[in-house]
Amino acid sequence: MTQMQDDAAAVALARDGHEEGFRILVERHSRHVFRLACRMTGRQEDAEDVVQETFIRAFRQLGRFEARSNFSTWLYRIAYNCAIDFIRGRPHRENAEERETLEAMSESVSTPDAHDMVYAGEISERVQTALEGLSPKERAAFLMRHYHGHSIEEIGASLGMKTNATKHSIFRAVKKMRVALEPLL
Amino acid sequence: MTPHITDDELILHFYGEAPTDAPRIDQHLAQCVDCHTNWAQLQRTLQMVDSADVAEVPVGFERVMWARIQPQLPQKTARVSWWSPKVWAPVAGLAAVIALAFISGGLWQRTGGGTTPKVNTDVADAKTVRERVLLSALGDHFEQTENLLVEIKNAPEPGGPGGKDVRRVDLSYEQQAARDLIAAGRLYRDTATRNGDMELSSVLEDLERVLVDVAGSPEHMNTQDLKSLRARIEDDSLLFKVRALTTAVREREKTLSTQSAKSVRTL
Ligand SMILES: [Zn+2]
C-alpha cells in the first residue's frame, strides 16, 4: 500500500512537470522493467533500449494513469507492448537455428547431481531458449501470467487479444517449457 | 472414473484460472496415477521456470537509465505554481499539517500525545481523504525509517557478546531498505522544501544523509564501521526526531478519521 501511495505521489509530481517525481519512478521501477525486458528480448543491450522506450512512453501517457490503480502493473503493460514492438522491429533472427537448439536441448544434459551452478545455469538457458521459440505476443502472455500473476483476462486486455487466443498462447508456451525442461526433471 | 484431465486443463488449474473445475480435477488427480504423474511433472517444470535467472542488473543501472531517459522527456513549459490547489491539494495539505505542527507549540516538545494540531476546517474538509492517504504514506515512511535505525542500533557487534564469533555484521537487508527509503524521502523533502517547510525538510535531509551512509556502507561491517554509523544516529538524535514526527502524523491521521466519520453522520 505504501509503495502504491508513494508512486501515486511521484506521478502527481511528474505530471506537474517536476522531473524529480519521474526520476523517483525510474529509480524505483527500472530494475524490474529491465528484468522483464531481458526475458522478452533475450539480450541485455536490447533490454536497456526497451527500458528507455518504456519510460519515455510512460511519461507521455502519465495523464492517462489512474491514481487508484497500481503503477507497476500499468508500467509493465507498457513495457510488454514496447518489447513486442521492439522485437518485431529488429532484424529477423534465424528461426531455424532456434528450432535446432530446442531439439538439441532434449538430448544430453547435466543432472541435478552435477554442480548446482551448472544446473541452475542450464535451467535459465533452457527457459530463455524456449521463450525465444514463441511469438512476441505469446511470450508476453506467458510471462505476464507466470511471473507477474496477471489473469488471462487482464493479459488479453493489455495485449489486445481475445481470451481464447490468450489461453492458447499460454498453453503453447507451457508446452515449450515442458519440452525444454523435461530432461532436467 | 471421470475422464482424464487434459494438459490444457492442468495448466489452467495450476494458475488458478479454472476455479469451477477445481473440485473435479482434484478428485480425479487423487484417483488416477497417470494424471497425477502428469500433474506432478507440470508443477515441477513450472517451478523450474520460476527459478530461472535473468541477467544481473548492472551496478548503477538506475542512474545510467535516468541519464538516458531524462534528455528525451518532452519539456513541460507551463509550470503550475506550487500552491495550485488543483494539482497540489494533497501534498500541500500534508505539508501544511506538518508545518502547523511545528508552528503550534513546537513538534519536538510534544511527543507524548495531548494536544492535536488545529487546522482550518474549510481547507481540511475538501481534502480529507487524499490528505489521509498522504499522511498515512508519510507516517509509514517515518515508521520504516525508525525501524531501520533501531535495527542498526541493536545489531550485534561483530565479535561482541551478542555477536558470538561473527567478525562482521551483515546489513545487506537494511541497505536495500535504506535505498528504498531514500527515494521516497526525496519526494517528501522536495515537497517540504518547495513549500518552505524548512524544518521538516531539514529533518528529512538529516535522515537522507544517514540513509545514504547505510546504503553505501560495506555489506559486511566491521566493529569500526558499525560504531561510527551508530554515533551518527545518536549525535543527531535522529531516532527521537523520527518518533516525534511519526506521532504527529499519526495524531493528525486520527483527527482526520474522526472528522470524516462525523461528516458522514451529518449527511
Ligand atoms: Zn486420469
Side-chain angles (χ1 to χ4, degrees):
Chain A
M1 194 58 196
T2 309
Q3 167 96 0
M4 254 182 84
Q5 290 163 355
D6 287 349
D7 283 344
V11 169
L13 263 181
R15 264 189 198 165
D16 186 37
H18 297 274
E19 260 180 21
E20 177 68 9
F22 200 65
R23 190 174 66 79
I24 288 165
L25 295 169
V26 171
E27 281 191 0
R28 196 175 290 155
H29 297 282
S30 55
R31 275 172 179 259
H32 299 291
V33 176
F34 176 71
R35 294 169 68 85
L36 168 170
C38 278
R39 289 203 161 102
M40 279 296 289
T41 62
R43 293 187 220 170
Q44 202 163 322
E45 317 84 76
D46 290 354
E48 284 173 12
D49 290 345
V50 169
V51 174
Q52 181 177 344
E53 179 60 21
T54 298
F55 278 100
I56 290 165
R57 276 196 207 176
F59 187 84
R60 290 203 201 103
Q61 295 174 22
L62 271 185
R64 276 186 258 157
F65 173 72
E66 286 164 29
R68 290 209 157 269
S69 46
N70 188 321
F71 181 77
S72 51
T73 308
W74 181 79
L75 185 70
Y76 294 164
R77 183 184 298 180
I78 295 174
Y80 276 114
N81 281 298
C82 265
I84 291 171
D85 293 348
F86 186 92
I87 297 164
R88 285 182 177 158
R90 82 183 167 191
H92 265 288
R93 284 231 249 167
E94 331 59 28
N95 283 331
E97 191 194 291
E98 275 158 19
R99 219 172 301 122
E100 272 167 37
T101 333
L102 204 58
E103 276 160 22
M105 283 196 330
S106 54
E107 287 152 25
S108 79
V109 284
S110 51
T111 60
D113 317 334
H115 199 281
D116 277 356
M117 290 281 281
V118 178
Y119 184 62
E122 188 123 18
I123 292 176
S124 309
E125 217 170 282
R126 281 164 179 269
V127 166
Q128 199 55 45
T129 311
L131 285 175
E132 279 165 24
L134 297 166
S135 80
K137 269 199 178 183
E138 287 172 345
R139 203 179 302 172
F142 174 70
L143 294 174
M144 284 171 122
R145 178 60 263 185
H146 191 82
Y147 290 105
H148 293 119
H150 294 190
S151 73
I152 287 176
E153 211 184 314
E154 285 168 342
I155 297 166
S158 300
L159 301 177
M161 289 161 90
K162 295 225 166 73
T163 304
N164 241 350
T166 314
K167 270 188 194 168
H168 282 281
S169 298
I170 291 164
F171 295 156
R172 270 194 292 276
V174 173
K175 268 165 210 164
K176 287 220 160 90
M177 290 297 159
R178 292 188 82 164
V179 173
L181 295 170
E182 196 270 330
L184 300 181
L185 282 178
Chain B
M1 199 166 22
T2 49
H4 290 304
I5 312 295
T6 66
D7 286 354
D8 292 351
E9 282 180 308
L10 287 180
I11 293 168
L12 293 178
H13 187 56
F14 180 87
Y15 289 121
E17 296 268 7
T20 50
D21 296 332
R24 170 179 63 86
I25 294 174
D26 284 334
Q27 197 192 3
H28 183 89
L29 290 176
Q31 294 167 346
C32 171
V33 179
D34 286 355
C35 286
H36 190 268
T37 310
N38 191 19
W39 171 238
Q41 274 192 11
L42 175 73
Q43 283 180 304
R44 280 221 302 283
T45 305
L46 290 174
Q47 277 156 10
M48 268 192 196
V49 175
D50 267 344
S51 72
D53 292 324
V54 284
E56 286 264 314
V57 183
V59 180
F61 178 75
E62 292 87 348
R63 248 175 298 125
V64 173
M65 280 327 296
W66 177 243
R68 283 175 59 170
I69 292 164
Q70 196 261 345
Q72 299 209 44
L73 297 180
Q75 290 299 311
K76 291 224 176 176
T77 42
R79 274 202 150 202
V80 187
S81 82
W82 176 251
W83 278 107
S84 161
K86 186 174 99 262
V87 181
W88 279 110
V91 180
L94 164 75
V97 169
I98 304 289
L100 220 119
F102 281 103
I103 297 157
S104 64
L107 184 64
W108 306 134
Q109 283 82 46
R110 199 165 28 74
T111 51
T115 53
T116 44
K118 283 181 185 174
V119 287
N120 178 336
T121 45
D122 286 333
V123 178
D125 266 7
K127 300 166 187 164
T128 306
V129 176
R130 287 203 286 176
E131 193 178 322
R132 208 168 40 210
V133 168
L134 266 138
L135 276 173
S136 152
L138 193 63
D140 289 352
H141 177 74
F142 288 135
E143 253 170 35
Q144 284 162 5
T145 309
E146 181 186 333
N147 290 342
L148 181 71
L149 296 178
V150 170
E151 272 171 38
I152 291 167
K153 233 184 118 192
N154 299 336
E157 231 167 69
K164 291 179 184 126
D165 54 348
V166 189
R167 303 233 160 153
R168 284 168 178 274
V169 53
D170 179 7
L171 286 178
S172 50
Y173 174 79
E174 283 76 7
Q175 288 177 314
Q176 187 49 53
R179 279 191 279 273
D180 294 344
L181 287 168
I182 290 168
R186 275 189 195 141
L187 175 65
Y188 303 130
R189 183 157 67 89
D190 194 47
T191 308
T193 310
R194 283 160 193 271
N195 189 35
D197 193 339
M198 297 327 286
E199 211 153 349
L200 175 61
S201 166
S202 100
V203 179
L204 286 165
E205 200 180 336
D206 288 348
L207 283 181
E208 184 178 325
R209 258 188 254 124
V210 172
L211 291 172
V212 166
D213 283 354
V214 174
S217 53
E219 254 181 43
H220 297 275
M221 284 195 192
N222 60 29
T223 315
Q224 201 47 48
D225 298 329
L226 191 60
K227 271 189 179 152
S228 73
L229 195 57
R230 280 180 184 159
R232 288 280 315 279
I233 295 170
E234 274 156 29
D235 283 354
D236 301 336
S237 47
L238 277 176
L239 261 174
F240 176 69
K241 289 181 190 173
V242 172
R243 280 182 187 139
L245 277 170
T246 312
T247 310
V249 168
R250 294 302 186 210
E251 267 177 25
R252 173 65 189 147
E253 252 186 288
K254 251 187 264 163
T255 316
L256 279 185
S257 306
T258 336
Q259 271 175 7
S260 58
K262 271 183 203 152
S263 62
V264 167
R265 250 178 273 127
T266 51
L267 277 174

